[in-house]
Amino acid sequence: MAALLLYIVALGVSAIVLLLVAITGFGATSLEYRILSGFGALASAAYAIYLAFQFQGGSYSFFYGALLLPVYAGYKLYTGFRRRELDRADRRAAKAGRKAADEWRSARRW
């Protein structure tokens, strides 16, 4: 019974993390990945709700990916946030470079 409870919690965490990836888009390489993340979140949440409230006993399907998916999706979110910060730093550096070049050009004019 403890394994079933752990599995339900893992499915719930998977659903939350995948939903965050689908909504925010951070770490998502494409629109298709965001859509698949949304479907994965819905499927994980639906199966967790079924196991928590409708399951009466017997056998159930155990997907090992549900235990690893939150780790992978969290990693994708982290890399997405990191990439966003690096892009911002690149834009700031480019803006500062353009400003310095404009100042240099304006000082060199006769």
Side-chain angles (χ1 to χ4, degrees):
M1 195 62 169
L4 179 62
L5 184 60
L6 174 69
Y7 185 55
I8 292 170
V9 170
L11 283 172
V13 170
S14 274
I16 291 169
V17 172
L18 284 173
L19 189 62
L20 285 174
V21 169
I23 290 172
T24 61
F26 293 118
T29 56
S30 65
L31 180 63
E32 292 84 13
Y33 184 78
R34 289 179 69 182
I35 291 170
L36 287 175
S37 294
F39 283 133
L42 289 175
S44 294
Y47 195 49
I49 290 169
Y50 166 75
L51 287 176
F53 299 111
Q54 298 292 322
F55 187 64
Q56 298 297 323
S59 64
Y60 59 93
S61 297
F62 189 89
F63 301 104
Y64 291 103
L67 301 176
L68 298 176
L69 196 57
V71 175
Y72 176 70
Y75 171 74
K76 293 287 278 183
L77 278 173
Y78 169 76
T79 57
F81 280 117
R82 182 73 180 145
R83 186 178 335 119
R84 184 180 72 164
E85 291 300 319
L86 291 175
D87 289 345
R88 282 184 181 170
D90 287 344
R91 284 193 301 270
R92 282 192 301 265
K95 185 177 179 181
R98 282 191 302 271
K99 182 179 177 186
D102 289 341
E103 289 174 358
W104 183 82
R105 272 190 237 115
S106 67
R108 301 295 289 174
R109 290 189 184 152
W110 296 64

